């Protein structure tokens, strides 16, 4: 029974992290669709989104204390 719960937790984590990553990437890329906003205006957003995604993956998969 414990194995089923652990597998369900892993699947839930993978789906949640995947959906959140897709949302953040989509949010960051919609900013570049405007002609008024240049790449260097959006660069800080890309940097922050990259850091958030990296921290999310670290927390979900690597940090196992």
């Amino acid at each position: 029974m414990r194995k089923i719960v652990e597998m369900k937790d892993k699947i839930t984590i993978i789906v949640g992290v995947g959906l959140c990553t897709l949302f953040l990437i989509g949010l960051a890329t919609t900013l570049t669709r405007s002609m008024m906003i240049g790449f260097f205006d959006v660069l800080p957003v890309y940097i922050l989104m990259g850091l958030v995604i990296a921290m999310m993956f670290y927390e979900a998969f690597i940090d196992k204390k």
Side-chain angles (χ1 to χ4, degrees), residues 5 8 10-13 16 18-19 22 26 29 32 34 37-39 41 43-44 48 50 52 54-55 57-58 60 63:
V5 172
K8 194 166 37 169
K10 288 181 183 179
I11 292 171
T12 304
I13 289 171
L19 288 174
L22 286 175
T29 55
T32 59
S34 175
I37 301 174
F39 175 74
D41 296 329
L43 189 59
L48 286 175
V52 167
M55 287 189 301
F57 273 94
Y58 177 77
D63 188 27

Side-chain angles (χ1 to χ4, degrees), residues 28-62:
T29 55
T30 54
L31 292 173
T32 59
R33 303 286 168 130
S34 175
M35 294 296 197
M36 306 277 294
I37 301 174
F39 175 74
F40 292 108
D41 296 329
V42 185
L43 189 59
V45 175
Y46 284 144
I47 293 170
L48 286 175
M49 290 297 176
L51 288 172
V52 167
I53 291 170
M55 287 189 301
M56 186 173 51
F57 273 94
Y58 177 77
E59 180 71 28
F61 297 111
I62 298 173

Side-chain angles (χ1 to χ4, degrees), residues 2-24:
R2 180 131 172 105
K3 289 281 189 186
I4 296 172
V5 172
E6 288 177 9
M7 188 64 164
K8 194 166 37 169
D9 288 344
K10 288 181 183 179
I11 292 171
T12 304
I13 289 171
I14 291 170
V15 169
V17 168
L19 288 174
C20 188
T21 301
L22 286 175
F23 174 75
L24 291 174

